[in-house]
Amino acid sequence: MSAAIEVMRHHRSIRKFTEQALNDEQREAIMASAQAASSSSFLQASTVIRVTDPELRARVMALCGNQAYIGSAAEFWVFCADFHRHLQWVPEAKTGFAEQLLIGAIDTALMGQNALTAAESLGLGGVFIGAVRNQPHELCDLLALPKGVIPLFGLCLGYPDQNPEPKPRLPTSLIFCDNRYPAQFDEERMQRYDEQVQQYYRTRTGGNKNMSWTGQIGETLAKEARPFMLEFLHRQGFCLR
């Protein structure tokens, strides 16, 4: 097994960090690794905002549900899909298509995953923050994001101050298919996975959480998440056609 595969297979989200800062060499290596990710049509439709000002970080944290690790991590970066930059150099470029939202989101997600994997290979840890989309209008104003730019997720990075177990993933046979989508799923295997997740949560929380994976789906998808998102995308110039 290669070292890269070992790093990726042992990923855990880290939410407790020491006070140790990253050095310039580490940070530059992570940035370079992020930029090395694949880019659709070489559009490079991403921008990353590194939030270093403590007061600004605190205000961003407040918009993200006051998740304490946003403030305590050595680094906090906001990953954005960005077509504003393209219009600065090529004003006649046509933007606003739904496909461009997918391109920007995919390119930026690939960059984020590269960044986290690179950080983990250096002995660091991190966690992605989807809550940057909780109050996107306010976050855009706070970070001065112009039309054509949308925040997709944040990333906390730093030296881990905890050692959680990796969260169990779905069985490979339920994710990877040969040639066609399966007509039906393996119910027995799904039930075993539900039990595995339930045991993971019980162990991780000292018995305070007793939730299966399908139970978690039921809770998460019981209502529409962030119903304001389409209006926000339109305001920022995305999904107009």
Side-chain angles (χ1 to χ4, degrees), residues 7-17 67 69-70 72-73 112-113 116-117 119-120 123-130 153-169 200-201 204 216:
V7 168
M8 287 185 278
R9 291 187 64 178
H10 288 87
H11 161 72
R12 299 92 35 84
S13 291
I14 298 298
R15 294 178 173 85
K16 292 183 180 179
F17 300 94
Q67 298 179 72
Y69 29 93
I70 294 175
S72 62
Q113 188 60 55
L116 181 55
T117 300
E120 289 174 335
L124 304 168
V127 62
F128 288 112
I129 306 295
F153 54 88
L155 177 60
C156 297
L157 291 173
Y159 283 89
D161 196 25
Q162 62 178 170
N163 187 28
E165 289 294 317
K167 189 176 289 186
R169 292 325 200 233
Y200 166 82
Y201 279 132
R204 173 178 164 177
Q216 184 169 315

Side-chain angles (χ1 to χ4, degrees), residues 56-72:
L56 180 60
R57 178 100 69 104
R59 294 175 69 185
V60 171
M61 185 173 71
L63 294 178
C64 297
N66 283 310
Q67 298 179 72
Y69 29 93
I70 294 175
S72 62

Side-chain angles (χ1 to χ4, degrees), residues 96-112:
F97 294 98
E99 171 65 9
Q100 290 166 350
L101 172 63
L102 296 178
I103 288 172
I106 292 168
D107 274 18
T108 307
L110 293 173
M111 280 188 68

Side-chain angles (χ1 to χ4, degrees), residues 126-183:
V127 62
F128 288 112
I129 306 295
V132 300
R133 302 189 303 278
N134 283 359
Q135 300 183 66
H137 296 85
E138 293 83 351
L139 187 65
C140 280
D141 293 342
L142 202 58
L143 301 181
L145 302 183
K147 190 172 182 178
V149 183
I150 52 172
L152 294 176
F153 54 88
L155 177 60
C156 297
L157 291 173
Y159 283 89
D161 196 25
Q162 62 178 170
N163 187 28
E165 289 294 317
K167 189 176 289 186
R169 292 325 200 233
L170 279 164
T172 302
S173 62
L174 294 179
I175 296 291
F176 293 90
C177 315
D178 289 335
N179 303 314
R180 291 175 177 81
Y181 197 86

Side-chain angles (χ1 to χ4, degrees), residues 9-13 164-172 174-175 189-204 209 211-214 216:
R9 291 187 64 178
H10 288 87
H11 161 72
R12 299 92 35 84
S13 291
E165 289 294 317
K167 189 176 289 186
R169 292 325 200 233
L170 279 164
T172 302
L174 294 179
I175 296 291
R189 184 159 292 181
M190 189 68 248
Q191 184 177 352
R192 290 201 302 270
Y193 178 67
D194 258 350
E195 293 169 355
Q196 183 185 11
V197 170
Q198 208 163 11
Q199 180 58 39
Y200 166 82
Y201 279 132
R202 281 196 296 261
T203 302
R204 173 178 164 177
K209 183 174 181 178
M211 177 75 72
S212 67
W213 186 70
T214 52
Q216 184 169 315

Side-chain angles (χ1 to χ4, degrees), residues 39-100:
S39 173
S40 180
S41 299
F42 200 47
L43 287 173
Q44 303 184 82
S46 306
T47 289
V48 183
I49 310 293
R50 180 178 172 234
V51 183
T52 61
D53 179 81
E55 182 180 346
L56 180 60
R57 178 100 69 104
R59 294 175 69 185
V60 171
M61 185 173 71
L63 294 178
C64 297
N66 283 310
Q67 298 179 72
Y69 29 93
I70 294 175
S72 62
E75 298 280 332
F76 182 66
W77 301 356
V78 179
F79 285 74
C80 307
D82 182 1
F83 281 93
H84 177 80
R85 182 170 54 236
H86 302 75
L87 290 170
Q88 302 312 294
W89 279 295
V90 188
E92 67 275 16
K94 296 184 181 348
T95 61
F97 294 98
E99 171 65 9
Q100 290 166 350

